[in-house]
Amino acid sequence: MSVPEHNTDRPTQKEAEQAVRTLLRWAGDDPTREGLLDTPARVARAYTDFFSGYEIDPANLLRRTFSEVDGYDEIVLLRDIRFESHCEHHLAPIIGRAHVAYLPRQRVVGISKLARVVDAYARRLQIQERMTAQIANTINDELEPHGVAVILESAHECMTTRGVHKPGVSMVTSTMLGVFRDNSDTRRELMAMLSRPAVSDY
């Protein structure tokens, strides 16, 4: 993949592949052996996918909205959005699910756009707390709803495959804005919706 023109400081593909060869040598292997010859190019291509969120403006995803909703003014919830991210401290995978809700004023957005906003932030180097706030703040700023709620649940391989080695541990973070923060009834309604069986369970 060619280097984006707007980022002149970004290393070239060749430089990225050389960096991978250096890491392979540092790990104790020989990057010139047959099984590793194509690994630098494969890793560079994988990074292009893993971190494609840097090329996306999440706010722009929410600019097209719909107002013909026949007065609908209840919670919109998209739950169980799978995401894949990477910890900025160890470059280890973060695999999880996002639940995104908002209470519209007059405009709604296509539900796929909510999932795309999650992906746009997930496909960057992240910490979960920041990612949760980024998703919520972007939806709040662009849609100007009565409230936004974002809950992320994930497993961090930086603590399951290294360090303390604690598999089966999940991290949950939330950002509540507007009525989801200020109105306990609205927040309870959201939690009740989240507790219902998933579509796959019907």
Side-chain angles (χ1 to χ4, degrees), residues 90-103:
H90 303 97
L91 302 186
I94 303 171
I95 309 296
R97 296 180 302 163
H99 313 294
V100 178
Y102 69 102
L103 188 59

Side-chain angles (χ1 to χ4, degrees), residues 50-187:
F50 292 160
F51 305 120
S52 59
Y54 289 113
E55 307 301 321
I56 300 170
D57 177 2
N60 191 51
L61 296 169
L62 300 173
R63 300 262 157 86
R64 184 182 181 194
T65 59
F66 306 94
S67 57
E68 296 180 359
V69 293
D70 288 338
Y72 183 85
D73 60 356
E74 298 294 335
I75 294 172
V76 175
L77 168 64
L78 190 62
R79 55 188 268 190
D80 297 319
I81 308 165
R82 178 185 164 88
F83 69 85
E84 301 159 2
S85 191
H86 284 78
C87 161
E88 68 178 33
H89 300 139
H90 303 97
L91 302 186
I94 303 171
I95 309 296
R97 296 180 302 163
H99 313 294
V100 178
Y102 69 102
L103 188 59
R105 290 185 188 273
Q106 295 176 324
R107 300 179 299 139
V108 297
V109 70
I111 59 174
S112 68
K113 299 303 189 294
L114 298 176
R116 290 180 186 276
V117 169
V118 171
D119 275 345
Y121 283 118
R123 292 181 177 274
R124 304 179 183 197
L125 292 171
Q126 279 292 8
I127 62 170
Q128 185 171 323
E129 297 91 336
R130 180 177 65 221
M131 179 178 159
T132 310
Q134 286 174 328
I135 296 167
N137 289 332
T138 298
I139 295 170
N140 193 57
D141 292 345
E142 294 302 318
L143 299 185
E144 299 181 337
H146 290 292
V148 178
V150 175
I151 301 171
L152 303 187
E153 309 172 59
S154 70
H156 291 241
E157 291 194 15
C158 59
M159 74 170 290
T160 63
T161 62
R162 60 161 299 282
V164 294
H165 289 278
K166 297 296 181 186
V169 174
S170 61
M171 179 176 177
V172 181
T173 52
S174 68
T175 295
M176 304 282 175
L177 302 175
V179 293
F180 290 107
R181 184 181 186 92
D182 302 330
N183 189 312
S184 59
D185 290 339
T186 305
R187 192 162 55 251

